[in-house]
């Protein structure tokens, strides 16, 4: 999946501001050797127009492939790797990241996605400059180009669903709060904990909370 966030005219002026948030990126990962390197490279290439990249925290959730080795191959001091010996799942790994991050904004990214361009984080956090009470932003999911007829059918169904979601309250609804890419204000994140009972998904939980 590719993550995308459209930028409205009102946000353009924010990229000229001298105020910059420090951004922490948290990535829970399980057996993601095929993509984790691409994702880390795309994060490090982000244009830091309205933010400073403070840290990237990767938790390898008892992966049994080369996920940890690939993360350790990066020499950037902002990257921290935590390796679980027992698998605990995405929600609990996100709780661990919340306990460790130190930025003004915490951006959670799934390890199996790609960022659409080098301005993704810049656009993702821009709304926080407009509203000091904002808790979460979420990005829109765009499927990768289809190569087979079956993939075309799947992508078409995803597009229909996404179009319907963003017609509900301008996109401010539980269905648009994707776990693949969410930014939390530091204030909200430091008060937040996933405590799931199985009745709701972790991304829906964050919206309801």
């Amino acid at each position: 999946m590719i993550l995308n966030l459209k930028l409205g005219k009102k946000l353009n002026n924010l990229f000229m501001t001298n105020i910059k948030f420090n951004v922490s990126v948290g990535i829970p990962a399980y057996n993601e050797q095929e993509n984790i390197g691409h994702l880390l490279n795309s994060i490090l290439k982000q244009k830091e127009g309205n933010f400073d990249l403070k840290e990237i925290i990767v938790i390898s959730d008892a992966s049994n492939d080369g996920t940890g080795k690939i993360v350790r191959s990066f020499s950037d001091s902002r990257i921290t790797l935590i390796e679980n010996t027992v698998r605990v799942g995405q929600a609990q790994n996100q709780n661990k990241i919340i306990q460790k991050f130190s930025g003004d904004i915490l951006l959670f990214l799934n390890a199996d996605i790609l960022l659409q361009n080098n301005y993704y984080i810049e656009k993702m956090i821009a709304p926080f400059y407009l509203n000091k009470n904002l808790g979460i932003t979420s990005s829109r999911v765009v499927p990768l180009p289809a190569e087979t007829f079956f993939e075309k059918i799947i992508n078409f169904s995803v597009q229909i669903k996404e179009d319907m979601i963003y017609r509900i309250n301008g996109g401010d609804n539980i269905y648009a709060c994707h776990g693949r890419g969410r930014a939390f204000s530091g204030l909200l994140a430091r008060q937040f904990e996933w405590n799931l009972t199985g009745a709701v998904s972790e991304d829906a939980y964050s919206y309801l909370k």
Side-chain angles (χ1 to χ4, degrees):
M1 293 291 185
I2 295 176
L3 298 188
N4 174 39
L5 189 76
K6 291 187 177 180
L7 180 64
K9 291 181 180 179
K10 190 175 182 181
L11 300 182
N12 280 322
N13 293 335
L14 293 176
F15 298 155
M16 302 302 293
T17 182
N18 292 323
I19 301 172
K20 285 189 175 184
F21 288 130
N22 288 322
V23 173
S24 299
V25 178
I27 307 172
Y30 173 68
N31 286 355
E32 291 292 349
Q33 67 177 14
E34 298 299 326
N35 194 62
I36 190 66
H38 299 299
L39 178 57
L40 290 174
N41 275 320
S42 68
I43 294 170
L44 295 173
K45 291 177 181 178
Q46 292 289 297
K47 304 295 184 182
E48 299 181 39
N50 65 345
F51 73 96
D52 290 317
L53 181 61
K54 186 174 181 64
E55 60 193 347
I56 304 171
I57 304 170
V58 181
I59 297 187
S60 177
D61 196 16
S63 299
N64 53 28
D65 65 353
T67 298
K69 181 179 179 180
I70 292 171
V71 175
R72 286 192 295 272
S73 71
F74 285 78
S75 59
D76 196 297
S77 62
R78 293 170 295 181
I79 299 176
T80 298
L81 172 65
I82 300 169
E83 295 186 276
N84 294 342
T85 56
V86 178
R87 192 177 181 192
V88 298
Q90 181 171 337
Q92 291 305 316
N93 285 321
Q94 289 173 170
N95 284 339
K96 287 186 177 184
I97 291 169
I98 283 175
Q99 294 169 6
K100 294 182 176 298
F101 89 99
S102 58
D104 302 310
I105 293 175
L106 174 56
L107 173 62
F108 281 115
L109 296 174
N110 281 6
D112 60 350
I113 55 90
L114 295 172
L115 307 185
Q116 189 178 49
N117 54 48
N118 292 339
Y119 298 93
Y120 171 80
I121 296 179
E122 186 177 80
K123 297 175 182 180
M124 191 70 166
I125 71 166
F128 290 99
Y129 288 100
L130 297 176
N131 185 349
K132 65 179 182 180
N133 296 317
L134 183 63
I136 303 175
T137 64
S138 180
S139 51
R140 186 165 190 169
V141 176
V142 180
L144 289 168
E147 296 181 357
T148 67
F149 179 71
F150 181 72
E151 288 176 351
K152 289 179 181 179
I153 294 174
I154 296 298
N155 283 5
F156 183 68
S157 65
V158 169
Q159 188 63 55
I160 291 174
K161 179 182 176 182
E162 291 291 309
D163 288 345
M164 292 174 62
I165 287 172
Y166 286 92
R167 289 193 184 112
I168 302 172
N169 198 32
D172 183 3
N173 62 76
I174 191 171
Y175 307 107
C177 190
H178 290 295
R180 301 174 186 92
R182 283 165 298 177
F184 286 64
S185 71
L187 178 62
L188 174 61
R190 290 183 175 91
Q191 302 176 56
F192 196 92
E193 180 181 8
W194 274 271
N195 185 13
L196 301 179
T197 63
V200 66
S201 63
E202 65 85 21
D203 44 6
Y205 183 91
S206 65
Y207 181 87
L208 295 170
K209 188 76 171 182

